[in-house]
Amino acid sequence: MKIERLPLAGLAKIIPTRLGDHRGYFAEVFKDGWFRENVADVDFVQENESLSAAVGTVRGLHFQLEPFAQGKLVRCLAGRIFDVAVDIRVGSPTYGQWYGAELSKENGEQLWVPAGFAHGFATLEPDSVIFYKVTAPYSAENDRGLLWNDPEIGIEWPLPLDNAILSDKDTKQPKLADLPPSFQYR
């Protein structure tokens, strides 16, 4: 596996090595010791999978407060997504900045999104399946969000999202300027 350090401190792209032949390929997609040594010394406690049927489905931007703040290791098993992380750590030199990466079955890349970031994605192909490991279980009481199209953040989604398919919850999330401090940069 290879690691690509990204412009926002803590974010990383993991690129598994695929060994292929006429049958297909084999890839190690996660090794606990390697991840702890090269990315983050965390424990994953839950694995989640979601299917988004239509192109232009937006999920996010989501995060959880302490003591259930989640780091997420995200990959796309089918279809293609534009995966986004926004730094919401107060005092961070990159507070309010975002990073986006295309994840797909074809590229096999994964995005590590540590606690202190809001996370979301938009589907670029139908029937996109996303799989992610998290460092804390889901907690409805600690579940929070950030408006996916906040102009102050300025995420450059790679497709027109005038008719984005959203949950009711995600249409009502606060803008960055209205977000109470949730994480401190360390």
Side-chain angles (χ1 to χ4, degrees), residues 22-23 37 43 46 49 54 64 66 70-71 81 89 92 100 106 132 143 146 157 161 170-171 177:
H22 66 281
R23 302 167 296 166
E37 185 176 316
D43 293 314
Q46 184 173 313
E49 182 175 305
Q64 289 190 169
E66 294 289 357
Q70 292 180 324
I81 65 169
R89 301 169 296 175
S92 167
E106 287 72 31
Y132 52 104
D143 187 35
L146 183 61
W157 299 98
L161 291 172
D170 287 344
T171 64

Side-chain angles (χ1 to χ4, degrees), residues 9-186:
L11 286 181
K13 189 185 290 184
I14 289 83
I15 305 146
T17 302
R18 289 182 171 175
L19 306 171
D21 62 21
H22 66 281
R23 302 167 296 166
Y25 70 84
F26 170 84
E28 290 181 342
V29 297
F30 179 78
K31 287 173 44 174
D32 185 70
W34 182 91
F35 193 88
R36 288 176 186 277
E37 185 176 316
N38 293 284
V39 183
D41 189 10
V42 296
D43 293 314
F44 289 104
V45 300
Q46 184 173 313
E47 295 179 346
N48 302 318
E49 182 175 305
S50 71
L51 165 70
S52 295
V55 172
T57 298
V58 175
R59 293 183 186 253
L61 304 163
H62 302 146
F63 62 94
Q64 289 190 169
L65 300 176
E66 294 289 357
F68 292 95
Q70 292 180 324
K72 298 178 181 178
L73 181 60
V74 184
R75 59 191 282 233
C76 183
L77 300 179
R80 196 165 49 100
I81 65 169
F82 186 68
D83 204 42
V84 174
V86 178
D87 187 349
I88 57 171
R89 301 169 296 175
V90 174
S92 167
T94 57
Y95 179 81
Q97 294 181 26
W98 64 276
Y99 175 83
E102 186 175 297
L103 304 181
S104 68
K105 178 179 82 168
E106 287 72 31
N107 70 24
E109 295 176 354
Q110 302 174 69
L111 188 64
W112 165 244
V113 181
F117 286 79
H119 170 260
F121 62 87
T123 55
L124 305 176
E125 290 184 4
D127 299 321
S128 291
V129 177
I130 293 66
F131 174 87
Y132 52 104
K133 296 175 172 295
V134 293
T135 60
Y138 175 71
S139 168
E141 288 178 19
N142 294 280
D143 187 35
R144 299 292 187 276
L146 183 61
L147 190 63
W148 68 278
N149 62 350
D150 182 348
E152 183 181 342
I153 299 168
I155 296 169
E156 296 174 14
W157 299 98
L159 71 164
L161 291 172
D162 299 332
N163 297 309
I165 301 164
L166 296 150
S167 69
D168 188 50
K169 175 178 100 171
D170 287 344
T171 64
K172 298 174 182 170
Q173 299 291 5
K175 292 183 176 182
L176 184 65
D178 301 321
L179 189 70
S182 304
F183 299 94
Q184 288 294 319
Y185 179 72
R186 295 181 186 123

